[in-house]
């Protein structure tokens, strides 16, 4: 897939992997935050602090809350990078990624390779390519 000339630092590689592991929760978190902002009965900032009350301009309040939520924007950026990277992968790569990061069985790389009918090194290569592609999309 996409080759990165520079090697990622171990800490960055692990951080990207942690975001990939958390991807399903991140997507749900984004949906929950949108729901909270859209249906909030009072004006709140990102920290949940109530700012005044009464009837106002709900459309503007919602738009402002959505646009000013830096944590929501960060989550969306991460989810977008992971989702679009996953969509770019060939089917055999996707199977490795699915088993490695989102399968509840928590297989080893040997188990993943066996299940995908490939050598462990090939499965590890697909994993690394995916992490590097996500990292590239996130600016690392």
């Amino acid at each position: 897939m996409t080759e990165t000339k520079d090697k990622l630092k171990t800490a960055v590689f692990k951080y990207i992997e942690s975001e990939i592991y958390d991807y399903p929760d991140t997507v749900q978190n984004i949906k929950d935050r949108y729901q909270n902002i859209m249906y909030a009965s009072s004006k709140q900032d990102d920290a949940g602090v109530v700012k005044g009350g009464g009837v106002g301009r709900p459309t503007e309040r919602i738009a402002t809350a959505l646009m000013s939520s830096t944590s929501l924007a960060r989550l969306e950026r991460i989810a977008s990078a992971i989702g679009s990277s996953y969509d770019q992968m060939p089917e055999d790569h996707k199977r490795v990624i699915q088993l490695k990061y989102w399968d509840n069985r928590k297989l080893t790389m040997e188990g993943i390779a066996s299940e995908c009918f490939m050598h462990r090194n090939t499965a590890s290569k697909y994993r690394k390519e995916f992490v590097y592609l996500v990292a590239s999309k996130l600016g690392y």
Side-chain angles (χ1 to χ4, degrees), residues 22-34:
D22 290 342
Y23 176 69
D25 293 333
T26 300
V27 170
Q28 185 59 50
N29 193 349
I30 290 168
K31 289 178 186 175
D32 292 345
R33 286 178 182 228
Y34 267 103

Side-chain angles (χ1 to χ4, degrees), residues 91-118:
E91 288 305 314
D92 54 343
H93 287 59
K94 286 181 179 180
R95 182 76 176 131
V96 169
I97 294 159
Q98 184 71 38
L99 290 171
K100 172 68 179 162
Y101 297 109
W102 304 313
D103 188 89
N104 290 331
R105 294 180 289 171
K106 303 296 180 204
L107 299 171
T108 64
M109 285 310 292
E110 288 82 11
I112 293 167
S114 174
E115 190 134 332
C116 294
F117 306 106
M118 63 182 63

Side-chain angles (χ1 to χ4, degrees), residues 44-109:
Q44 297 179 355
D45 63 12
D46 275 352
V49 178
V50 176
K51 292 184 170 187
V55 179
R57 303 173 90 172
T59 303
E60 287 86 349
R61 179 187 56 78
I62 291 169
T64 302
L66 289 172
M67 294 302 295
S68 65
S69 176
T70 55
S71 60
L72 180 59
R74 186 183 75 75
L75 290 176
E76 287 176 324
R77 186 170 159 256
I78 291 167
S80 175
I82 295 169
S84 66
S85 296
Y86 182 78
D87 291 343
Q88 283 183 264
M89 294 285 132
E91 288 305 314
D92 54 343
H93 287 59
K94 286 181 179 180
R95 182 76 176 131
V96 169
I97 294 159
Q98 184 71 38
L99 290 171
K100 172 68 179 162
Y101 297 109
W102 304 313
D103 188 89
N104 290 331
R105 294 180 289 171
K106 303 296 180 204
L107 299 171
T108 64
M109 285 310 292

